[in-house]
Amino acid sequence: MKTILPMVLALASATFISLVGAVQAAGDEKLAAALPEAVRTAGKLNFTISLAYPPMEYNDAGSTELKGFDIDLAKAIAERLGLTAEFQNVEFPQLIPQVVTGRSDIIITAFSDKVERQTQLDFIDYFKTGNVFYSSVDHQAEIKTEADLCGKTVAVATGTSWVTWAEELGKSICPADKPITVIQIPTQAEHIMQIRQGRAQASVIGLEGLLDLMKQEPGKFYQIGEVGDVSHYGIAFAKANGELRDAVRATLDALKADGTYAQILDRYGLKEAGIDEFKINGATK
């Protein structure tokens, strides 16, 4: 017994030291030092999202567990800063008010960096995307290109940049008496229901969303035409929150340097959407 006890104590001590080291490794003190004092004191980052948009942010049927690229990246950012990630889900039109009024720190939810949004927000561009029309395969014979959507109805997420894109493209390719009719409906699930019920013939989605949809439901959906309006999603902050913005950007650089960013992209099959540089307010239109 006397010889075993010191060994047990030594193992317990080693385990404790290992656990302490793991906890310390979870947060980067240099990065954390750049945070606003209020955030360090709170010990958490409040992220605002808008469900559901797989593979970016979603939860499985019957579950409240958040999943997706944005969710995992947000958690990685918070962890590297020694903070806890908390999430608030709101309707898409409420994203900007949620942050500019201080009810949340950050928007991370497949949210496009647009010049008009830069009047209220600062963005860190972190993800490449593009717009695509899609429909269910039973429309494939009649709708092959964007021009085939003239005179048809397209369901688009409420308040998103896809609304303007679809409307402007329709004006540029359709005769005046056969416009693309754009109806605004909140979620992708509702868009698909509209198509299946015949109230719409197509929808608009980011390329990453369509790839995920076709992966989850093979043979049921298809892409119409080419990817358009290639742009970037941005992590967004209130204009007054530049200190937090810069701390998060430095954290993203660290996550890219050690391979964490690439690992999260690969986890969701989104390697092609990765970017080389995390630019602030990179959008020019």
Side-chain angles (χ1 to χ4, degrees), residues 8 25 29 45 50 59 66 100 103 105 117 135 159 168 172 174 197 223 262 265 267:
V8 172
E29 291 183 3
L45 281 177
S50 185
N59 45 32
L66 296 174
V100 299
R103 286 174 284 173
D105 300 314
R117 291 173 175 167
S135 190
E168 291 182 351
S172 70
C174 297
Q197 293 178 345
Q223 179 177 324
L265 286 166
R267 189 177 302 158

Side-chain angles (χ1 to χ4, degrees), residues 123-190:
F123 290 86
I124 304 173
D125 296 349
Y126 70 106
F127 190 93
K128 288 186 295 190
T129 187
N131 303 338
V132 287
F133 290 103
Y134 74 97
S135 190
S136 56
V137 292
D138 54 314
H139 288 289
Q140 203 159 6
E142 61 171 314
I143 304 175
K144 296 182 175 67
T145 69
E146 292 95 335
D148 294 329
L149 290 169
C150 296
K152 304 290 195 301
T153 297
V154 176
V156 183
T158 306
T160 66
S161 58
W162 295 329
V163 174
T164 302
W165 179 75
E167 290 175 341
E168 291 182 351
L169 182 63
K171 291 176 183 177
S172 70
I173 64 173
C174 297
D177 61 342
K178 289 185 64 179
I180 294 176
T181 300
V182 175
I183 56 175
Q184 298 190 47
I185 299 173
T187 69
Q188 178 183 320
E190 291 172 295

Side-chain angles (χ1 to χ4, degrees), residues 189-244:
E190 291 172 295
H191 302 165
I192 292 171
M193 184 180 296
Q194 292 289 313
I195 293 170
R196 286 174 171 162
Q197 293 178 345
R199 297 191 182 111
Q201 288 71 54
S203 183
V204 177
I205 201 170
L207 177 59
E208 67 285 348
L210 180 57
L211 293 174
D212 182 72
L213 179 62
M214 292 192 295
K215 178 182 177 182
Q216 299 300 324
E217 299 191 48
K220 294 185 178 181
F221 299 94
Y222 73 103
Q223 179 177 324
I224 301 168
E226 301 297 323
V227 180
D229 197 23
V230 175
S231 61
H232 293 87
Y233 291 143
I235 300 172
F237 306 77
K239 282 288 186 184
N241 223 350
E243 192 176 3
L244 178 59

Side-chain angles (χ1 to χ4, degrees), residues 110-130:
F111 192 57
S112 296
D113 178 4
K114 305 287 286 185
V115 168
E116 62 266 25
R117 291 173 175 167
Q118 292 173 10
T119 61
Q120 294 178 279
L121 303 168
D122 280 337
F123 290 86
I124 304 173
D125 296 349
Y126 70 106
F127 190 93
K128 288 186 295 190
T129 187

